[in-house]
């Protein structure tokens, strides 16, 4: 509560300062009222989105500063309110002092705009009530989803298939790992953070349980690379449902999996490249048609196949 | 009540837990009229104890309610209905049917035992008072319930128009509501220009070919949606990890609300007051008059989580903030894809006005045809999901409309509701009734089996009987059907655990079955809870055989007629154009089946002359596409020009006519009206006319041609609900420019 009071106090102070400083620059808006507030974002693209979301002709206008992470908001106080403007900015995906963006709006931002959500408070975990609630769900769900005629959400509700951990079939464990990679990619294409989280957890489990002594030398090299390079990515991937974080990790996962593809892959797979994401990122696909896992439905067909791997 | 003659326990009654001494909880309610200002305009409304919504009445099960209602208004009579409560018939509060009206200055006392628990509400059952503030929550707490923070939310809709005018305009098929919506959500008028922009001109043409006006998910434009009387309500004092029971009441007159929560899933734990096994969902729609109890979690401290209630037409929303601090928004609902909806309706509508479900056997909100209009389910534009589905081999036809299969958003539907206890009925005789819900938008007549409540008698039922109602919605709108004084079981595949409800939302083309147990006495209203549908005829009365006389209604026949008089009301509409070449216009007085109309064309010179026509007639058929009428046609002028004979070779009497006529008017595809008549001199006239063709959101085209070689074309620019600018060319009056006034 104290932090809230503090930020509000700060906002009021800033408002006082900026009223005198900013007033002359707001042509077209009458009954001017100006306020400077914190609005989070990352890049010049954010600036465009934030300012466009705020803008209403003759009514509201925002000037966002990428370095200070603040917006000077100018309104006609007889026609609108600062809250209305901040709400629009948040609906466009940008957290600010008074409103936090809907998670879906944030997840829909381009990769470069996915700023650190410093203003969002961490959900409490391990709370007694909360656990009770989850237990509650677990009980309630079967009655709902088992029922004839009702079809739930396939990605989310069907358990991820667990591969048997038979030590004599370590090679198939590598194959399973490989198959799960595509599931993970598909989950990210679909923008389904829950499914991606589950698949990543399964991959970590498969890798963890593998016995390297049962592998050939070439496979062992691959396994080592996976343990050192993929495992540190899979762990955080399985800890979050936040798509932006998942996609960043997934971009790094492609290199070790490519190694795996070269030792275990079957049939033809393709290496695809997205020039936009984080300065360029790769992914593997079994299907030549581009379905970009880094941006989901926003830029589904962005990217091109750069290599064909046949085995 | 309570224990009936056969010792039957009414469905939905509960046995309070623990030992307790029953007490009487007393409320005094003062109903007054007041002025309110929700939008910058002062408007008349009704308030109870000075507040809108009316105060939340809280009771505990097993106690007795004592509610003393004072009508302190000067003239108006009123009533209060306790929605969802099982109580003696004389306290049900339907004026002239079960209870005497509360006249100005009078006091009425309600006293009844509380035999159930849950979230209910109360509202006026007189005229359109409910639209203007007379709604409030009524909570009956369960004894020894798990302690938990609670918040009661009453949702409502507000219009700056007088509700009686809203109804009058609906009967006149006036599309001012759509123009108002267009200002917030472009495309709402679904005009020709909107269709061209959306690349859906063919869809629009086919729609009019099938004689449909622009369709919308709701008929009325609202200036505001309110939660507890404000646009943004709040429930502070909650901390991270808290589980909160939110008791939601949809107290609106004609608005369905989508409910979304910014802090995760919502557990639905009760519907219409009756407990259900918890169902976690991402969202649900609340029909008018439905109540839902949900339990939500507050995920983090210093954050207020938005519980967002969005009107089904997505023009506006109301918010409830749970917790304090920075406001975490829920994802707002994006505008409807109207032309996708229109395309879907085109596919379902047969040429005779019946709906064709293509063998999908729709029920219980499981398949929502409207998903084609929801961007969050079927993608932001028409290309995305549609393509996937055409290629998807696993999708059967019905899956196309199952929103839970199409997306990872879990939407509640009635098949997911399950009573925690058995609701199986004791053995008894079964009476099955089949109700086909019908209506037509053009004249705004809503009916069951093509009969309005005023056109039918009471349905006789008996104590101990199972009354099973199989409802089929053969109209284009959804209807929240409400039964007074009883819970019914919704047969939804849950067997003995069928959920109890007292409002059932039925979507177009759905067939739903519900049954209730005859445990009461007297007369119980069953009606669509969209206020304007109820006022337009959609209802029935169930009447128990051998009911005792009602001392509070000493003249039963007179009371019954007064009760039905609402259904038999006449509505007036009129418009007149004042132009440089003359004045022309029309006025109509309309009831459910009859219309008296007059048309006039008054020139300023002897050459243009004057002309007046009147018709009186009856509308036939479910869709009322036929209008059989008789009338008088009088005209005089000194024109002397024009063809001497009409198309049928009969002499022309355009300069002097004073005749009676009979004829019919038939609405053709493309909404063209074909009018044929024969007058008392034996002359025939045939005419084709199309009015109100929406070229753009604001521009309307009228055109007419007839066998007397008369023709007319006009363009109107609609400024507001009253004023329009009009230019026309008329074979008699020539070119004219003027203003049109619509009432």
């Amino acid at each position: 509560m104290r932090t809230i009071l503090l930020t509000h106090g700060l906002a009021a102070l800033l408002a006082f300062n900026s009223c005198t400083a900013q007033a002359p620059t707001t042509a077209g808006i009458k009954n001017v009222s100006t306020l400077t507030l914190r609005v989070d974002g990352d890049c010049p693209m954010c600036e465009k989105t934030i300012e466009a979301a705020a803008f209403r002709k003759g009514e509201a206008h925002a000037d966002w500063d990428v370095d200070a992470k603040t917006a000077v908001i100018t309104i006609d106080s007889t026609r609108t309110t600062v809250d209305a403007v901040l709400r629009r900015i948040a609906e466009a995906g940008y957290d600010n002092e008074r409103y936090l963006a809907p998670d879906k709006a944030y997840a829909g931002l381009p990769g470069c705009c996915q700023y650190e959500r410093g203003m969002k408070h961490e959900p409490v975990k391990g709370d007694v009530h909360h656990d009770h609630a989850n237990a509650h769900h677990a009980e309630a769900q079967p009655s709902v989803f088992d029922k004839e005629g009702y079809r739930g959400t396939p990605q989310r509700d069907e358990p991820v298939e667990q591969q048997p951990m038979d030590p004599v079939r370590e090679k198939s464990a590598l194959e399973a790992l490989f198959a799960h990679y595509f599931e993970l990619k598909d989950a990210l294409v679909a923008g389904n953070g829950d499914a991606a989280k589950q698949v990543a957890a399964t991959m970590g489990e498969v890798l963890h349980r593998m016995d390297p002594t049962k592998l050939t030398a070439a496979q062992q090299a691959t396994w080592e690379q996976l343990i050192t390079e993929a495992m540190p990515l899979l762990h955080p991937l399985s800890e979050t449902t936040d798509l932006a974080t998942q996609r960043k990790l997934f971009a790094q996962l492609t290199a070790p999996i490519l190694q795996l593809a070269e030792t275990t892959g079957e049939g033809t797979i393709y290496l695809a490249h997205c020039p936009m994401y984080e300065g360029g990122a790769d992914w593997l696909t079994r299907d030549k048609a581009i379905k970009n896992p880094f941006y989901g439905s926003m830029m589904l067909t962005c990217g091109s196949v750069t290599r064909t791997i046949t085995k | 009540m309570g224990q009936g003659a056969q010792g039957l326990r009414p469905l939905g009654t509960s046995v309070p837990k623990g030992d307790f001494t029953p007490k009487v909880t007393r409320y005094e309610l003062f109903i007054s009229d007041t002025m309110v200002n929700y939008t910058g305009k002062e408007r008349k409304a009704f308030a109870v104890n000075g507040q809108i919504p009316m105060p939340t009445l809280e009771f505990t099960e097993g106690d007795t309610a004592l509610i003393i209602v004072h009508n302190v208004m000067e003239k108006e009579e009123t009533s209060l209905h306790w929605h969802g409560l099982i109580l003696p018939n004389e306290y049900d509060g339907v004026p002239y049917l079960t209870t005497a009206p509360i006249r100005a200055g009078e006091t009425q006392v309600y006293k009844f035992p509380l035999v159930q628990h849950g979230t209910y509400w109360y509202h006026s059952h007189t005229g359109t008072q409910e639209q203007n503030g007379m709604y409030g929550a009524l909570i009956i707490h369960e004894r020894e319930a798990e302690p938990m923070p609670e918040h009661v939310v009453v949702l409502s809709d507000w219009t700056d128009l007088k509700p009686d005018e809203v109804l009058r305009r609906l009967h006149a098929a006036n599309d001012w509501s759509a123009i108002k919506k267009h200002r917030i959500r472009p495309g709402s008028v679904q005009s020709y220009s909107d269709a061209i922009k959306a690349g859906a001109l063919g869809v629009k043409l086919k729609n009019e070919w099938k004689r449909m006006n622009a369709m919308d998910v709701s008929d009325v434009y609202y200036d505001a949606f309110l939660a507890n009387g404000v646009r943004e309500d709040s429930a502070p004092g909650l901390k991270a990890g808290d589980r909160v029971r939110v008791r939601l009441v949809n107290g609106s007159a004609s608005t369905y609300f989508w409910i979304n929560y910014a802090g995760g899933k919502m557990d639905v734990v009760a519907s219409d007051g009756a407990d259900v096994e918890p169902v976690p969902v991402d969202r649900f729609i609340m029909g008018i008059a439905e109540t839902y109890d949900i339990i939500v979690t507050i995920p983090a401290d210093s954050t207020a989580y938005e519980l967002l209630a969005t009107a089904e037409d997505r023009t506006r929303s109301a918010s409830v903030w749970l917790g304090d601090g920075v406001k975490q928004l829920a994802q707002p609902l994006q505008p409807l894809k109207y032309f996708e909806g229109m395309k879907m309706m085109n596919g379902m509508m047969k040429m005779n006005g019946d709906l064709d479900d293509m063998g999908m056997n729709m029920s219980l909100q499981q398949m929502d045809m409207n998903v084609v209009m929801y961007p969050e389910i079927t993608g932001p534009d028409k290309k995305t999901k549609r393509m996937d589905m055409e290629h998807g081999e696993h999708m059967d036809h019905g899956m196309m409309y199952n929103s839970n299969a199409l997306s990872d958003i879990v939407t509640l539907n009635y098949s997911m509701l399950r009573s925690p206890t058995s609701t199986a009925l004791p053995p008894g005789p079964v009476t099955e009734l089949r109700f086909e819900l019908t209506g037509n938008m053009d004249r705004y007549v809503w009916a069951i089996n093509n009969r309005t409540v005023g056109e039918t008698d009471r349905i006789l039922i008996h104590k101990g009987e199972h009354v099973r109602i199989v409802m089929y919605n053969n109209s284009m709108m959804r209807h929240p059907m409400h039964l007074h004084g009883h819970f019914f079981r919704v047969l939804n595949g849950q067997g003995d655990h069928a959920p109890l409800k007292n409002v059932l939302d039925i979507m177009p083309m759905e067939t739903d079955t519900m049954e209730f147990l005859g445990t009461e006495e007297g007369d119980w209203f069953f009606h669509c809870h969209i206020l304007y549908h109820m006022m337009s005829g959609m209802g029935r009365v169930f009447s128990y055989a051998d009911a005792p006389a009602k001392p509070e209604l000493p003249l039963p026949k007179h009371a019954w007629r007064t009760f039905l008089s609402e259904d038999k009301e006449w509505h007036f509409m009129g418009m007149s154009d004042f132009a440089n070449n003359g004045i022309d216009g029309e006025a109509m007085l309309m009831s459910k089946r009859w219309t008296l109309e007059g048309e006039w064309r008054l020139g300023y010179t002897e050459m243009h002359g004057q002309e007046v026509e009147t018709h009186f007639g009856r509308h036939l058929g479910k869709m009322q596409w036929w209008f059989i009428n008789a009338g008088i046609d009088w005209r005089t002028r000194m024109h002397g020009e024009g063809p001497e004979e009409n198309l049928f070779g009969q002499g022309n009497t355009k300069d002097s006519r004073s005749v009676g006529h009979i004829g019919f008017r038939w609405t053709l595809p493309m909404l063209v009206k074909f009018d044929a008549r024969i007058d008392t001199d034996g002359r025939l006239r045939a005419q084709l006319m199309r009015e109100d063709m929406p070229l753009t959101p604001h521009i309307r085209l009228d055109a007419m041609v007839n066998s007397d070689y008369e023709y007319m074309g006009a363009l109107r620019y609609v400024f507001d609900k009253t004023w329009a600018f009009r230019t026309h060319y008329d074979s008699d009056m020539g070119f004219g420019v003027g203003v049109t006034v619509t009432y």
Side-chain angles (χ1 to χ4, degrees):
Chain A
M1 201 45 50
R2 182 171 294 158
T3 56
I4 292 297
L5 288 173
L6 207 65
T7 43
H8 278 208
L10 193 65
L13 195 69
L14 285 166
F16 178 75
N17 284 337
S18 47
C19 270
T20 46
Q22 298 287 334
T25 64
T26 55
I29 297 180
K30 290 172 189 154
N31 309 302
V32 165
S33 163
T34 300
L35 199 57
T36 304
L37 293 131
R38 180 174 163 195
V39 177
D40 281 357
D42 248 354
C43 63
M45 200 160 151
C46 298
E47 184 172 5
K48 269 193 186 162
T49 315
I50 291 168
E51 292 177 1
F55 184 76
R56 289 286 183 278
K57 198 181 175 190
E59 193 180 293
H61 169 268
D63 186 6
W64 186 69
D65 185 331
V66 62
D67 298 318
K69 312 271 188 252
T70 56
V72 180
I73 292 170
T74 309
I75 55 159
D76 178 340
S77 58
T78 62
R79 294 177 65 183
T80 189
T81 60
V82 170
D83 270 30
V85 177
L86 289 174
R87 187 178 180 123
R88 288 203 295 272
I89 291 175
E91 283 175 2
Y94 293 92
D95 290 349
N96 56 63
E97 255 170 64
R98 297 188 191 167
Y99 293 94
L100 301 177
D103 293 341
K104 204 177 156 192
Y106 173 80
L109 292 175
C112 67
C113 293
Q114 289 189 341
Y115 55 90
E116 287 290 317
R117 300 192 77 174
M119 275 184 277
K120 205 170 147 85
H121 297 274
E122 274 301 302
V124 286
K125 279 182 185 156
D127 182 275
V128 182
H129 276 102
H130 206 73
D131 284 350
H132 171 71
N134 287 338
H136 212 41
H137 285 187
E139 276 169 20
Q141 248 164 347
S143 71
V144 174
F145 295 114
D146 294 348
K147 207 156 27 64
E148 188 67 26
Y150 172 74
R151 288 164 228 239
T153 57
Q155 303 97 316
R156 197 205 310 245
D157 299 313
E158 284 167 13
V160 175
E161 199 176 301
Q162 295 281 344
Q163 290 295 324
M165 291 300 138
D166 181 351
V168 299
R169 299 187 63 212
E170 291 306 316
K171 183 170 178 289
S172 75
L174 282 174
E175 279 164 3
L177 206 56
F178 193 52
H180 284 316
Y181 169 87
F182 293 105
E183 282 175 27
L184 179 60
K185 183 217 45 159
D186 290 343
L188 294 175
V189 169
N192 187 339
D194 289 339
K197 177 185 166 167
Q198 284 193 31
V199 179
T202 311
M203 287 175 80
E205 181 80 14
V206 170
L207 199 52
H208 178 71
R209 290 213 191 172
M210 229 187 277
D211 183 354
T213 58
K214 307 257 165 75
L215 296 171
T216 65
Q219 285 170 341
Q220 272 188 26
T222 308
W223 174 82
E224 261 167 44
Q225 194 188 10
L226 287 170
I227 288 289
T228 52
E229 290 176 29
M231 204 57 158
L233 300 169
L234 290 171
H235 182 66
L237 246 167
S238 66
E239 294 272 281
T240 181
T241 55
D242 179 58
L243 282 164
T245 316
Q246 289 176 340
R247 284 172 170 152
K248 267 186 194 163
L249 295 163
F250 176 76
Q252 302 168 56
L253 190 63
T254 301
I257 296 291
L258 183 60
Q259 179 68 36
L260 177 65
E262 282 161 356
T263 46
T264 49
E266 272 174 28
T268 305
I269 56 165
Y270 304 93
L271 182 69
H273 180 75
C274 168
M276 284 176 66
Y277 187 76
E278 305 262 306
D282 294 323
W283 79 93
L284 292 167
T285 167
R286 278 174 167 154
D287 187 359
K288 207 169 180 182
I290 292 294
K291 280 191 179 168
N292 189 318
F294 301 113
Y295 293 105
S297 59
M298 264 189 35
M299 276 185 264
L300 195 59
T301 55
C302 167
S304 54
V305 169
T306 52
R307 217 178 114 191
T308 306
I309 303 148
T310 316
K311 200 167 153 77
Chain B
M1 81 122 276
Q3 300 286 322
Q6 284 98 339
L8 292 170
R9 205 161 71 87
L11 272 180
T13 54
S14 53
V15 181
K17 281 178 240 162
D19 290 330
F20 65 96
T21 313
K23 60 182 186 3
V24 175
T25 306
R26 174 189 171 116
Y27 282 98
E28 300 254 352
L29 304 178
F30 294 84
I31 303 172
S32 61
D33 38 20
T34 183
M35 296 304 282
V36 294
N37 186 338
Y38 287 110
T39 60
K41 289 174 187 153
E42 288 264 310
R43 289 290 183 265
K44 195 191 134 183
F46 302 95
V48 167
N49 300 356
Q51 63 181 86
I52 296 175
M54 306 196 283
T56 296
L57 310 182
E58 297 199 50
F59 303 98
T60 305
E61 64 180 336
D63 287 349
T64 294
L66 174 60
I67 308 168
I68 298 157
V69 185
H70 309 270
N71 179 355
V72 297
M73 292 187 285
E74 276 188 17
K75 285 184 195 140
E76 278 190 77
E77 61 180 53
T78 187
S79 60
L80 282 178
H81 162 62
W82 318 98
H83 182 109
L85 265 58
I86 299 162
L87 38 59
N89 196 231
E90 69 258 36
Y91 295 131
D92 193 45
V94 181
Y96 302 103
L97 179 68
T98 67
T99 314
I102 316 170
R103 295 196 176 82
E106 280 185 2
T107 294
Q108 215 169 62
V109 177
Y110 293 81
K111 187 174 183 183
F112 47 85
L114 299 153
V115 297
Q116 63 205 105
H117 63 255
T119 303
Y120 303 94
W121 64 300
Y122 65 115
H123 59 86
S124 167
H125 226 292
T126 300
T128 53
Q129 290 174 349
E130 182 201 321
Q131 173 81 78
N132 276 0
M134 286 193 69
Y135 44 81
L138 192 158
I139 311 297
I140 307 174
H141 292 282
E142 188 177 359
R143 280 197 190 269
E144 301 187 355
E146 186 190 347
M148 185 180 275
E150 285 194 1
H151 189 62
V152 177
V153 177
V154 179
L155 299 170
S156 61
D157 44 19
W158 175 262
T159 167
D160 273 342
L161 282 184
K162 285 187 189 127
D164 291 340
E165 183 169 357
V166 171
L167 184 61
R168 197 175 61 73
R169 284 177 178 275
L170 286 169
H171 285 297
N174 182 297
D175 67 354
W176 177 240
S177 262
I179 298 178
K180 291 281 273 184
K181 287 184 184 186
H182 162 77
R183 292 181 183 171
I184 305 171
R185 296 294 197 204
S188 299
V189 177
Q190 300 158 56
S191 67
Y192 276 77
S193 68
D194 293 324
I196 290 165
K197 266 184 227 157
L201 184 61
V203 174
K204 176 71 185 171
L205 287 168
K206 190 170 177 194
N207 198 244
E208 292 204 338
W209 179 255
K210 295 197 170 183
R211 293 176 272 199
M212 285 186 268
N213 279 308
M215 59 92 60
D216 201 344
V217 295
S218 69
D219 306 330
V220 182
Y221 167 81
Y222 284 103
D223 295 280
F225 297 106
L226 307 171
N228 294 335
V230 288
R231 288 180 178 79
E232 295 190 30
D233 176 49
S234 55
L238 299 166
K239 58 181 193 306
D242 274 356
R243 301 268 291 156
V244 190
R245 186 185 193 102
V246 184
R247 296 176 179 269
L248 286 155
V249 173
N250 185 351
S252 71
S254 76
T255 303
Y256 281 75
F257 286 101
W258 279 108
I259 308 295
N260 290 73
Y261 178 53
K265 289 223 192 283
M266 302 174 276
D267 282 359
V268 174
V269 296
S271 175
D272 294 344
D275 293 334
V276 295
E277 288 185 5
V279 188
V281 297
D282 293 304
R283 66 172 189 178
F284 58 96
I285 197 165
M286 280 188 86
I288 292 126
E290 283 190 304
T291 78
Y292 276 102
D293 288 24
I294 56 171
I295 295 179
V296 296
T297 306
I298 306 296
D301 278 322
S302 305
T303 310
Y305 290 87
E306 186 177 40
L307 187 68
L308 179 65
T310 311
E312 196 190 11
D313 67 10
R314 304 185 174 198
T315 50
R316 291 190 163 92
S317 58
S319 302
V320 182
W321 300 105
L322 301 175
D324 344 49
V326 63
K327 290 170 174 166
Q328 173 64 61
L329 296 176
Q331 179 69 22
L333 297 181
Q334 299 305 307
L336 295 172
K337 299 179 283 180
Y338 277 113
F339 288 102
E340 288 297 305
M342 194 183 268
K343 196 172 188 172
M344 177 271 290
M345 282 316 292
N346 286 349
M348 301 292 158
M349 178 68 85
K350 295 195 252 182
M351 275 318 282
N352 67 0
D354 279 342
L355 296 175
D356 176 6
D357 70 355
M358 305 192 201
M360 284 192 285
N361 300 321
M362 296 165 63
S363 68
L364 303 163
Q365 307 175 323
Q366 294 171 98
M367 278 182 241
D368 179 354
M369 307 302 283
N370 288 339
V371 296
V372 301
M373 293 194 278
Y374 299 157
E376 68 277 12
I377 305 290
T378 46
D381 63 58
K382 55 189 168 187
K383 292 189 186 74
T384 49
K385 218 71 179 224
R386 158 90 35 97
M387 290 304 289
D388 291 348
M389 288 181 343
E390 279 168 6
H391 296 299
E393 287 157 19
H394 309 297
M395 291 231 182
D396 58 61
H397 200 66
M399 291 279 275
M400 281 170 59
Y401 303 107
N402 181 335
S403 77
N404 287 335
L406 288 173
S407 78
D408 55 6
I409 297 169
V410 179
T411 306
L412 181 75
N413 63 54
Y414 287 153
S415 76
M416 295 157 75
L417 298 178
R418 180 180 169 87
S419 171
T421 54
S422 170
T423 59
L425 301 182
V430 179
T431 299
E432 186 167 298
L433 298 162
R434 290 193 166 257
F435 287 168
E436 181 194 6
L437 309 184
T438 54
N440 89 72
M441 286 300 291
D442 199 32
R443 297 197 65 256
Y444 217 72
V445 174
W446 297 96
I448 296 175
N449 298 339
N450 197 24
R451 291 282 174 271
T452 66
V453 61
E455 294 169 339
T456 48
D457 206 348
R458 287 171 253 220
I459 297 172
L460 207 60
I461 57 172
H462 301 86
K463 274 204 171 183
E465 194 170 45
H466 300 184
V467 182
R468 187 175 300 152
I469 302 170
V470 181
M471 263 195 310
Y472 171 59
N473 184 355
N474 193 17
S475 79
M476 284 165 61
M477 305 297 285
R478 57 203 301 169
H479 302 286
M481 302 303 294
H482 170 53
L483 175 64
H484 283 223
H486 302 70
F487 276 105
F488 49 75
R489 313 170 71 226
V490 182
L491 303 189
N492 69 342
Q494 300 282 7
D496 285 352
H497 289 259
L500 299 179
K501 283 182 69 63
N502 55 55
V503 177
L504 186 83
D505 166 47
I506 180 163
M507 304 189 71
M509 291 174 278
E510 283 191 337
T511 303
D512 287 340
T513 305
M514 58 213 227
E515 58 187 18
F516 67 91
L517 183 61
T519 52
E520 309 300 311
E521 290 178 337
D523 294 327
W524 302 95
F525 204 3
F526 173 74
H527 62 90
C528 175
H529 220 293
I530 294 176
L531 181 62
Y532 304 102
H533 289 187
M534 181 183 79
M535 303 280 291
S536 305
M538 199 170 231
R540 284 293 184 273
V541 172
F542 287 107
S543 188
Y544 281 88
D546 311 319
K550 296 172 189 167
E552 54 286 330
L553 293 171
L555 300 167
K557 278 188 180 154
H558 174 258
W560 176 248
R561 274 200 302 274
T562 314
F563 167 70
L564 295 180
S565 64
E566 205 165 69
D567 190 54
K568 294 180 173 166
E569 244 166 50
W570 290 78
H571 298 275
F572 179 79
M573 74 79 64
M575 64 186 284
S576 192
D577 183 50
F578 300 88
N580 62 325
N581 60 345
I583 297 168
D584 59 0
E586 57 178 353
M588 277 184 241
L589 203 52
M590 300 170 290
S591 75
K592 298 273 174 327
R593 310 279 171 187
W594 299 92
T595 292
L596 171 65
E597 59 183 26
E599 289 172 43
W600 57 86
R601 268 172 290 282
L602 311 172
Y604 303 130
T605 62
E606 284 200 340
M607 187 191 86
H608 282 151
Q610 276 96 37
E611 180 181 347
V612 176
E613 270 184 47
T614 59
H615 321 109
F616 180 71
R618 183 170 170 91
H619 299 272
L620 300 180
K622 187 170 65 185
M623 303 303 288
Q624 302 200 344
W625 283 332
W626 289 90
F627 177 57
I628 307 289
N629 64 86
I632 295 162
D633 186 351
W634 175 86
R635 60 167 71 182
T636 173
R637 66 174 187 182
M638 304 281 283
H639 205 298
E641 284 176 31
E644 293 300 313
E645 290 186 341
N646 69 14
L647 186 69
F648 309 107
Q650 295 169 315
N652 173 334
T653 58
K654 283 203 251 178
D655 284 357
S656 173
R657 187 187 290 173
S658 185
V659 292
H661 64 254
I662 58 166
F664 66 88
R665 193 183 296 156
W666 179 28
T667 305
L668 297 173
M670 292 309 291
L671 301 166
V672 170
K673 289 187 173 152
F674 174 69
D675 186 296
R677 63 169 70 159
I678 181 163
D679 69 21
T680 43
D681 294 344
R683 288 186 182 82
L684 298 165
R685 195 195 78 176
Q687 175 171 294
L688 291 170
M689 184 160 187
R690 170 73 204 263
E691 289 176 299
D692 289 328
M693 189 169 178
L695 297 185
T696 76
H698 282 271
I699 297 176
R700 302 287 175 273
L701 172 75
D702 302 333
M704 180 278 282
V705 60
N706 70 23
S707 60
D708 290 346
Y709 301 104
E710 293 171 317
Y711 55 89
M712 183 276 291
L715 284 172
R716 248 179 316 132
Y717 184 90
V718 181
F719 284 110
D720 65 18
K721 68 187 171 78
T722 309
W723 297 98
F725 171 81
R726 181 169 180 256
T727 174
H728 69 280
Y729 187 83
D730 182 309
S731 57
D732 292 345
M733 315 279 262
F735 180 74
V737 176
V739 292
T740 302
V741 182
T742 303
Y743 175 76

